[in-house]
């Protein structure tokens, strides 16, 4: 069993995701606003997946001690550097979550709900209860709870599976032409979102994607059970994304 086995296993689900109706239904800036106001929660919990991997693969506490798998630690530290502290232009460093927020503000999307959510998370001593009590659709809660179920397993290969196969790698290619089309009609109103998408295409294609695949191989090695876990979680992660897309698509249509 190897990485190609996983890719083959999730092929049909990925095809379903790539061919989802949502890509044809984002036709106006208002549609894009609605999409971003909901999708931002997946951008946030992606960052938590990222940190979950870093916690499990590197030493993040004092006193420092050597880690068991320095190669995997190097892989995740490289990705964290650019996802959490990307230098998007000279002397301007930001996380991709904050870059997404800036993109929302540029098009006039409502950031008050995600802002309130982040403030509640910051002040919470039980983030799962905060998610459950927060006034958003149950579909978004289910998506985040699935993510944190995996993070709380504290098994690096499972977290890496959700991170590598179920997340942002599909978004840039699907949305960039849509947003460019909207910009032609709206005087480049979504330039920052186009930059966000192009930055993901650049990093995921050239760096993060290949690194993440090598990280999976490193973490699973010849362990059949770990490869089976990766296949299961990879497929479930894509199916959770499809469910989120369907929810947002229904909001757009209604």
């Amino acid at each position: 069993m190897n990485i190609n086995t996983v890719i083959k296993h999730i092929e049909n689900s990925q095809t379903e995701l790539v061919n989802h109706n949502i890509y044809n239904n984002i036709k106006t800036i208002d549609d894009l606003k609605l999409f971003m106001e909901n999708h931002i929660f997946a951008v946030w919990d992606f960052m938590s997946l990222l940190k979950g991997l870093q916690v499990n693969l590197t030493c993040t506490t004092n006193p420092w001690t050597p880690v068991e798998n320095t190669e995997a630690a190097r892989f995740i530290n490289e990705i964290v550097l650019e996802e959490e502290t990307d230098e998007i232009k000279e002397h301007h460093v930001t996380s991709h979550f904050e870059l997404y927020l800036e993109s929302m503000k540029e098009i006039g999307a409502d950031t008050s709900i995600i802002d309130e959510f982040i403030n509640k998370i910051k002040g919470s001593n039980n983030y799962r209860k905060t998610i459950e009590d927060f006034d958003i659709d149950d579909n978004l809660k289910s998506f985040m709870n699935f993510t944190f179920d995996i993070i709380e397993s504290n098994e690096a290969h499972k977290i890496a599976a959700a991170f590598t196969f179920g997340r942002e790698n599909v978004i840039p290619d699907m949305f960039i032409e849509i947003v460019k089309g909207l910009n032609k009609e709206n005087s480049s109103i979504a330039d920052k979102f186009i930059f966000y998408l192009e930055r993901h295409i650049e990093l995921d294609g050239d760096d993060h994607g290949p690194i993440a695949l090598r990280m999976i191989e490193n973490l699973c090695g010849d362990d059949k059970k770990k490869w089976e876990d990766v296949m299961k979680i990879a497929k479930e992660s894509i199916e959770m994304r499809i469910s989120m897309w369907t929810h947002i698509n229904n909001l757009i249509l209604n």
Side-chain angles (χ1 to χ4, degrees):
M1 199 173 295
N2 56 35
I3 205 75
N4 291 327
T5 310
V6 180
I7 292 171
K8 183 67 176 176
H9 179 70
I10 63 176
E11 185 176 11
N12 289 341
S13 295
Q14 282 193 319
T15 299
E16 183 180 353
L17 181 59
V18 167
N19 292 321
H20 199 285
N21 288 335
I22 194 171
Y23 308 115
N24 295 322
N25 290 327
I26 298 178
K27 298 176 180 178
T28 68
I29 289 296
D30 284 341
D31 295 337
L32 183 60
K33 289 178 185 178
L34 192 54
F35 168 78
M36 296 182 78
E37 288 164 4
N38 285 271
H39 177 241
I40 185 63
F41 288 92
V43 178
W44 172 73
D45 79 348
F46 168 80
M47 299 299 293
S48 297
L49 269 177
L50 178 74
K51 301 307 286 187
L53 273 173
Q54 190 177 38
V55 166
N56 277 274
L57 294 176
T58 71
C59 182
T60 58
T61 58
N62 276 319
W64 178 88
T65 54
V67 296
E68 292 182 9
N69 190 333
T70 53
E71 185 177 19
R74 171 61 182 260
F75 287 156
I76 193 59
N77 280 337
E78 284 189 40
I79 297 174
V80 167
L81 176 66
E82 289 170 325
E83 291 286 353
E84 189 175 34
T85 56
D86 196 8
E87 187 172 13
I88 59 173
K89 58 185 178 182
E90 191 173 5
H91 305 308
H92 182 32
V93 175
T94 187
S95 71
H96 287 183
F97 172 81
E98 291 163 300
L99 182 59
Y100 198 98
L101 277 179
E102 290 179 23
S103 304
M104 290 178 67
K105 291 172 183 176
E106 181 184 52
I107 68 168
D110 183 6
T111 63
S112 63
I113 296 174
I114 187 64
D115 289 340
E116 180 186 357
F117 176 76
I118 294 298
N119 284 333
K120 286 185 179 296
I121 288 291
K122 285 180 179 178
S124 174
N125 58 10
N126 185 340
Y127 69 89
R128 296 298 289 264
K129 187 175 188 305
T130 300
I131 292 172
E132 190 58 37
D133 291 345
F134 197 70
D135 187 19
I136 51 174
D137 191 89
D138 285 345
N139 189 283
L140 299 180
K141 293 179 183 180
S142 295
F143 188 94
M144 289 188 284
N145 282 326
F146 173 79
T147 297
F148 285 104
D149 284 345
I150 294 171
I151 293 171
E152 289 171 7
S153 75
N154 286 316
E155 295 186 72
H157 70 286
K158 292 182 178 180
I159 304 172
F163 178 89
T164 302
F165 295 107
R167 304 306 299 230
E168 312 299 44
N169 60 319
V170 71
I171 293 170
D173 290 330
M174 295 299 99
F175 282 99
I176 195 161
E177 293 305 321
I178 295 170
V179 179
K180 284 182 177 178
L182 291 175
N183 262 14
K184 289 178 182 177
E185 300 177 7
N186 293 277
S187 303
S188 300
I189 194 172
D191 277 346
K192 287 185 179 179
F193 191 43
I194 289 177
F195 176 81
Y196 170 90
L197 294 170
E198 289 177 337
R199 184 63 175 149
H200 268 272
I201 289 172
E202 176 187 359
L203 290 176
D204 290 341
D206 297 339
D207 297 312
H208 295 181
I211 289 172
L213 291 176
R214 292 202 304 275
M215 182 168 57
I216 292 279
E217 292 174 324
N218 175 284
L219 293 171
C220 291
D222 297 324
D223 190 321
K224 182 180 178 182
K225 176 62 168 61
K226 286 185 177 180
W227 280 112
E228 289 173 350
D229 289 341
V230 166
M231 284 202 301
K232 179 176 182 291
I233 289 171
K235 189 175 181 66
E236 288 176 347
S237 297
I238 296 171
E239 289 171 352
M240 291 301 296
R241 173 75 71 179
I242 292 169
S243 178
M244 173 178 273
W245 265 203
T246 299
H247 165 66
I248 300 175
N249 188 52
N250 288 339
L251 291 177
I252 291 170
L253 293 177
N254 294 328

